[in-house]
Amino acid sequence: MSSCYFGGVSRRTFLLGTAGVTALSQFPLSPLAQAMSEDRLLSAKPGTGKWIATTCNGCTSFCAKQIYVQDGRALHIRGNEFSKVHGKASCPRQYLSLQELYDPDRVKTPLLRMNPKKGQGIDPVFKPISWEEAISLFADKIMALREKNETHKYVALRGRYSFLSDILIKNFTTVLGSPNAITHSSLCAEADKFGSYYTEGGWEYRQYDIKNTRYVLSFGVDPLSANRQVSYYCSEWGNMLDHAQVAIVDPRFSSSASKADEWLPIIPGQDSALALSLAHQILVNDGWHKAFVGQFIDGVNRFQSGEVVDPLAFNELHTYGLVEWWNLELKDRTPEWAETVCGISAEQIKRIAQKLIAAAPKVQIWRSRGAQMQHRGAYTTIACHALNGLLGAVDNEGGVIQYNSSREDSVPSAKEFVDDLAKKGLKQERIDRVGRLEWPALKSGKSGGGVLTNVVADSILSADPYKPEIVLGYLNNFTFSAPGTQRWEDALKSVPFVVHVTTNISEFSWFSDLILPGSHFMYEKWGVQGSCGNMHSQVSIIQPIIKRLGDTVDDESGIPWLLAKELDKRGFSNPLAYLKSIRDPETQKEPITGDELGLYAAKVVTQPLWDPAKYVDGDKFSGWDEFLQKGVWNSEPYQFRQLWGKMKTKTGRFEFYSETLKSALSKHAEKHNTDVDEVMRICNYQAQGEMAFIPHYEQPYRFGEPAEYPMLFIDHKSRLNREGRSANNQWYQNNLDIDPGAVKHQDVVKINPIDAQQLGLKNGDRVKITSIQGEIACQVSIFEGVRPGTVAKAFGQGHWAYGKVASKVFGQEALGGNNNTILPPAHEHLSGAAAFYGQIGVRIEKMIEG
């Protein structure tokens, strides 16, 4: 790959194909070499640095941080002492950001593709160009769409982001005249939000009162590795174990399972069977929380296995439809039935049910991507969450809590800057097809209200609803992070102009025509983030705490600013007019640079928090300067039981029979002149009639016949994955064995000793893993902590780009295998979530070397 731009420390030249050799003197040293150069080290004096507040964007915990900066270099990291969510606590991943920041393989200047051919192993021949050249080219492409009245053929794909990303992705795209501001949300956890919304009316994540709980039942969640507020749980989990028991339901023995009282190695995809049988057992044992749910009028429990109950005999309080749920589904879902389905013994199910009853209402049922983000997973998520309602754990001490309200504003709207031409483009169908009959994506009860990120590749390939001409990828790598990776490679090959904003040349970059260097979120830009935990919400600042490395800009604000100025020169002034409307709230000054735009936008979004004239509650500041110095605003503590009887469902109550889901499905069906049964059929669910509106058992869809693909594949997250961006540093590779069963510097598949013996495998053997979607190669790790008949593999390795450390041969050969290469591009249609889990059949074969 000698002709590809690559920022390695050892490189003395950049070879640009037949264009010859460009001297290193025209480009800066690598960021690491520049930051740690001898003259700067000599000037450093002990005690001359200071702690500066910022926020970690390495996962969706969004922890407030303080960085120790000395002589312009970031040296040390800790949790922000002013945060009431996590304080100074941190997770193992935070220090990896330093190697990301000073990664010698970072993109340091705009790059233009010189080779028109695209493909893995084909050198793009990237040529360094100026920002002026790059933005001028980008603007020309946009203007060409306007001239053809095809502005809808501009697509913006968002990966990692802050609240300010609306400037570049949502609002700038709107002003251009495209409906296609596509987020990564359906690759994240939309099925998780589905379970909360269609039971209690909140399309959001949850927090957990672990300081007061007595029992935690976790369906696949690994809070010590990969969940919201990992920092907080890492610091508080041990204390919780002094007063609470923990049971982890997971086919894989996770980090959290190693710190639990009980591990339930369930058959993949069968979590709803366990949840429903627990609900059955709780009811027949008179164990529901009567202060929340209600009671039989005469006080006599009529929930008996197999017996129908008269709804008029039960007086419900803050819930709705319990008896209907029992009659339609639960009466036959005994522990004995569940044992044959999910692989957990009836005796263990009964024991867990008794522990939940004894601890209620101070119990917590957690649910993970692994349990929910599977084909037909919508009913798993509401089945699991219904247990919280049954036990009175919703909005209660020791239970499962919604997020506290936070007071930040949004980035100002761009609607008034949309001209007539752009309005025509905005009326076109979105590229991800949301709202079609087969794609309900029922975010917040609205047909097509969600997003279908992974459908975009199929839409591009089939030109349905149309073929995009410009695709902007912002800090994403969907060719690596979305199931069915080959589709994304083929799709991007076919797009005339692909722009990628990125810190490192990734797999997505390899198919791009123009690369714009991204800033590191934690250190080099303005932004705002929000998070919640420990009974508080927080809003924290991201700020440029060091001088940006290389020739980069504040990408969420600087790139739209430069592009708007260039479009203004071409007679399209609306984008620049919009950006200039985002003024400093203290002085009303218009921005004159992209950096000022980022600063002013951050101040506008957070003004309700730091401006004394706008104070409502939570932390109070004297002004912007104090807020910037402390870096975080905290809400008031959560007030329990504020939602009892006032939930945002159709009934105002916690819904076991979901009138809210019934309404959403009915409206979607009416939109397409059909009925709910047809919606369920076309979306490949089994439910018909009223079953569609209650938590019920849906048989997991199996990908691959057992005879050909006998094992089930478990995709999971490593404790060291910072949104998949950490693989290109040595600290990551040197510490991979922090995960149970993992091996340093290797990409491993974990196999139970029983299966390994049958397959004739031993530790270190190279194997090929094949599914109906594709195949990958990696190394065997024999590990008792994985259910027999399954294999487990962490996501994160398998890069063939991203840098010298992440790949075996940069641009050509991967280090291990990418899980998403073998995951089918399936979806959970009701929520819109991509399906990474469930019953994905694979075949394991030993590779003969040589």
Side-chain angles (χ1 to χ4, degrees):
M1 300 310 297
S2 61
S3 59
C4 175
Y5 168 84
F6 190 62
V9 178
S10 62
R11 289 284 177 96
R12 302 306 299 172
T13 60
F14 297 122
L15 303 180
L16 304 176
T18 58
V21 177
T22 303
L24 182 64
S25 60
Q26 291 184 243
F27 300 94
L29 292 172
S30 73
L32 181 62
Q34 185 178 22
M36 308 299 281
S37 60
E38 183 177 356
D39 61 324
R40 301 188 75 182
L41 285 174
L42 289 174
S43 68
K45 297 178 182 178
T48 59
K50 70 174 185 175
W51 293 98
I52 303 176
T54 190
T55 302
C56 180
N57 264 47
C59 76
T60 48
S61 294
F62 300 128
C63 295
K65 295 292 183 184
Q66 293 173 327
I67 311 295
Y68 190 74
V69 179
Q70 186 173 26
D71 281 4
R73 290 174 288 125
L75 298 178
H76 190 36
I77 308 168
R78 69 185 183 193
N80 190 320
E81 60 186 316
F82 298 108
S83 168
K84 294 179 181 178
V85 172
H86 53 74
K88 290 186 178 181
S90 292
C91 80
R93 293 189 287 265
Q94 65 173 12
Y95 287 107
L96 299 178
S97 68
L98 288 170
Q99 284 204 335
E100 291 175 355
L101 173 66
Y102 295 121
D103 184 349
D105 294 337
R106 277 187 63 180
V107 178
K108 299 183 286 290
T109 188
L111 303 171
L112 180 65
R113 183 185 200 92
M114 304 302 290
N115 186 354
K117 294 183 179 180
K118 296 183 178 182
Q120 184 175 339
I122 298 175
D123 189 345
V125 191
F126 287 126
K127 173 185 176 181
I129 60 174
S130 68
W131 277 97
E132 290 76 13
E133 292 173 292
I135 296 299
S136 179
L137 175 61
F138 197 175
D140 285 343
K141 298 292 184 181
I142 291 173
M143 293 303 296
L145 288 184
R146 282 184 62 84
E147 289 167 6
K148 294 188 293 183
N149 198 20
E150 294 181 339
T151 58
H152 59 285
K153 294 185 177 180
Y154 175 93
V155 175
L157 303 173
R158 188 191 76 182
R160 182 44 55 224
Y161 66 99
S162 85
F163 291 170
L164 304 192
S165 72
D166 278 357
I167 300 174
L168 172 64
I169 302 299
K170 179 183 176 183
N171 295 349
F172 199 85
T173 303
T174 296
V175 176
L176 295 184
S178 173
N180 294 314
I182 308 297
T183 73
H184 72 285
S185 297
S186 65
L187 299 177
C188 188
E190 292 303 87
D192 191 62
K193 301 171 188 175
F194 186 95
S196 300
Y197 186 83
Y198 290 105
T199 52
E200 58 178 294
W203 189 270
E204 57 186 10
Y205 303 116
R206 287 149 311 288
Q207 59 174 318
Y208 304 90
D209 181 17
I210 67 172
K211 288 185 176 179
N212 294 303
T213 197
R214 293 176 56 205
Y215 198 89
V216 174
L217 176 62
S218 166
F219 284 88
V221 185
D222 188 4
L224 301 180
S225 297
N227 194 62
R228 285 157 188 84
Q229 279 318 314
V230 176
S231 294
Y232 173 61
Y233 297 126
C234 283
S235 67
E236 193 61 33
W237 199 257
N239 296 330
M240 182 192 68
L241 293 176
D242 291 337
H243 57 78
Q245 292 189 49
V246 178
I248 302 291
V249 181
D250 198 323
R252 174 185 69 95
F253 190 74
S254 63
S255 297
S256 297
S258 71
K259 303 295 183 183
D261 298 278
E262 202 159 358
W263 174 43
L264 289 76
I266 196 167
I267 295 173
Q270 297 288 10
D271 301 80
S272 66
L274 175 58
L276 293 166
S277 66
L278 286 169
H280 173 100
Q281 197 66 10
I282 289 165
L283 290 173
V284 298
N285 282 282
D286 201 34
W288 67 92
H289 189 61
K290 296 172 180 61
F292 181 67
V293 179
Q295 173 62 299
F296 284 99
I297 293 173
D298 60 4
V300 178
N301 183 15
R302 289 176 173 76
F303 293 123
Q304 302 297 322
S305 292
E307 298 294 325
V308 173
V309 172
D310 180 1
L312 296 178
F314 195 91
N315 180 33
E316 277 190 271
L317 294 179
H318 301 300
T319 65
Y320 177 85
L322 176 63
V323 175
E324 287 82 356
W325 184 29
W326 169 266
N327 289 339
L328 288 167
E329 176 71 6
L330 290 184
K331 63 183 176 61
D332 300 316
R333 299 308 186 193
T334 65
E336 289 74 20
W337 164 81
E339 179 178 353
T340 64
V341 176
C342 70
I344 305 299
S345 71
E347 182 277 330
Q348 190 171 21
I349 294 172
K350 292 176 182 178
R351 184 175 70 251
I352 296 291
Q354 285 297 332
K355 290 182 176 181
L356 288 169
I357 292 169
K362 294 185 177 182
V363 299
Q364 302 172 357
I365 313 302
W366 295 37
R367 37 198 174 83
S368 72
R369 299 172 84 237
Q372 302 160 152
M373 291 183 71
Q374 57 171 300
H375 198 51
R376 302 173 177 165
Y379 293 100
T380 300
T381 184
I382 58 174
C384 292
H385 195 53
L387 288 173
N388 286 311
L390 198 59
L391 294 162
V394 174
D395 197 35
N396 210 351
E397 287 101 336
V400 178
I401 315 300
Q402 291 191 8
Y403 276 21
N404 305 55
S405 296
S406 56
R407 303 294 181 183
E408 77 279 358
D409 274 339
S410 300
V411 171
S413 171
K415 289 183 179 179
E416 66 179 278
F417 300 93
V418 178
D419 64 15
D420 290 340
L421 193 155
K423 287 177 181 177
K424 292 179 181 178
L426 292 170
K427 291 179 181 178
Q428 296 292 321
E429 183 180 6
R430 228 168 65 182
I431 192 71
D432 61 344
R433 311 179 194 173
V434 286
R436 290 190 183 183
L437 175 60
E438 68 274 26
W439 299 116
L442 298 173
K443 177 181 178 180
S444 298
K446 179 182 177 182
S447 172
V451 63
L452 292 161
T453 314
N454 207 23
V455 170
V456 173
D458 301 316
S459 297
I460 294 173
L461 288 169
S462 62
D464 177 17
Y466 43 78
K467 175 81 74 174
E469 294 198 14
I470 302 174
V471 168
L472 168 68
Y474 174 69
L475 294 186
N476 71 321
N477 191 14
F478 295 160
T479 37
F480 185 84
S481 61
T485 55
Q486 185 62 49
R487 300 156 43 257
W488 279 97
E489 294 184 15
D490 294 340
L492 293 179
K493 286 179 190 177
S494 71
V495 175
F497 190 64
V498 179
V499 183
H500 197 205
V501 182
T502 183
T503 57
N504 290 58
I505 294 177
S506 71
E507 288 76 9
F508 193 101
S509 310
W510 215 257
F511 299 89
S512 299
D513 300 281
L514 179 64
I515 296 177
L516 302 177
S519 301
H520 195 289
F521 255 111
M522 204 166 168
Y523 302 94
E524 298 178 318
K525 62 199 297 183
W526 288 105
V528 180
Q529 273 296 5
S531 189
C532 193
N534 193 26
M535 303 298 101
H536 292 274
S537 278
Q538 70 179 32
V539 177
S540 55
I541 199 72
I542 302 168
Q543 60 178 310
I545 62 173
I546 65 166
K547 182 180 179 181
R548 284 192 295 270
L549 303 173
D551 186 13
T552 58
V553 301
D554 188 332
D555 45 45
E556 284 184 338
S557 58
I559 290 175
W561 179 262
L562 293 175
L563 194 52
K565 288 183 66 179
E566 202 64 32
L567 292 170
D568 185 58
K569 293 178 184 177
R570 289 157 171 75
F572 183 30
S573 60
N574 293 42
L576 186 59
Y578 164 63
L579 297 181
K580 285 185 175 181
S581 75
I582 303 174
R583 303 184 178 194
D584 186 334
E586 293 185 292
T587 66
Q588 294 305 305
K589 179 185 174 184
E590 290 183 351
I592 59 173
T593 66
D595 287 343
E596 283 192 354
L597 174 61
L599 169 61
Y600 297 169
K603 293 176 75 172
V604 167
V605 169
T606 59
Q607 188 181 9
L609 312 179
W610 54 261
D611 188 342
K614 292 180 175 288
Y615 177 76
V616 176
D617 56 20
D619 292 348
K620 190 172 185 179
F621 301 95
S622 59
W624 167 254
D625 290 341
E626 184 185 4
F627 173 67
L628 187 62
Q629 184 270 320
K630 291 185 175 178
V632 60
W633 170 89
N634 301 280
S635 72
E636 300 290 342
Y638 192 88
Q639 299 298 309
F640 296 109
R641 293 177 295 282
Q642 59 184 311
L643 299 176
W644 284 25
K646 297 182 290 185
M647 293 183 178
K648 296 179 181 179
T649 57
K650 288 291 180 182
T651 63
R653 296 185 279 176
F654 188 97
E655 296 182 344
F656 298 118
Y657 182 104
S658 182
E659 296 286 355
T660 308
L661 180 55
K662 184 176 183 177
S663 174
L665 282 170
S666 298
K667 289 177 180 177
H668 181 71
E670 290 168 7
K671 174 181 172 181
H672 295 284
N673 299 310
T674 187
D675 56 26
V676 172
D677 285 351
E678 176 64 8
V679 173
M680 300 303 289
R681 188 194 67 77
I682 202 73
C683 293
N684 200 25
Y685 298 94
Q686 295 175 312
Q688 293 285 280
E690 290 188 295
M691 296 298 290
F693 315 132
I694 62 167
H696 68 271
Y697 178 72
E698 291 265 340
Q699 183 177 356
Y701 187 90
R702 198 183 201 282
F703 295 90
E705 292 297 324
E708 188 173 359
Y709 304 99
M711 309 286 281
L712 293 177
F713 185 79
I714 304 164
D715 172 86
H716 69 92
K717 303 298 176 277
S718 167
R719 293 189 77 179
L720 296 184
N721 279 353
R722 299 190 78 252
E723 293 292 328
R725 295 178 174 87
S726 46
N728 197 50
N729 68 63
Q730 290 290 351
W731 291 345
Y732 174 88
Q733 302 291 348
N734 287 344
N735 293 283
L736 280 174
D737 57 350
I738 194 173
D739 292 316
V743 179
K744 294 180 180 181
H745 296 281
Q746 292 294 335
D747 185 27
V748 301
V749 58
K750 292 174 272 272
I751 301 177
N752 189 278
I754 296 172
D755 296 317
Q757 184 177 24
Q758 292 177 347
L759 294 168
L761 298 174
K762 63 182 184 300
N763 274 322
D765 280 350
R766 292 276 295 169
V767 292
K768 179 172 67 174
I769 308 174
T770 306
S771 73
I772 62 170
Q773 185 65 29
E775 63 182 45
I776 57 175
C778 61
Q779 182 175 297
V780 165
S781 173
I782 298 176
F783 180 49
E784 291 182 350
V786 60
R787 182 185 175 90
T790 69
V791 294
K793 186 173 176 297
F795 168 77
Q797 297 277 61
H799 282 286
W800 50 268
Y802 216 78
K804 298 188 298 296
V805 177
S807 55
K808 191 169 183 179
V809 179
F810 178 71
Q812 293 183 332
E813 186 176 353
L815 177 61
N818 177 12
N819 292 3
N820 288 314
T821 301
I822 62 173
L823 296 183
H827 292 81
E828 205 297 304
H829 287 239
L830 293 188
S831 66
F836 290 81
Y837 309 97
Q839 297 205 340
I840 299 163
V842 294
R843 182 174 65 251
I844 311 294
E845 301 167 284
K846 185 176 180 179
M847 297 178 68
I848 307 300
E849 301 295 337

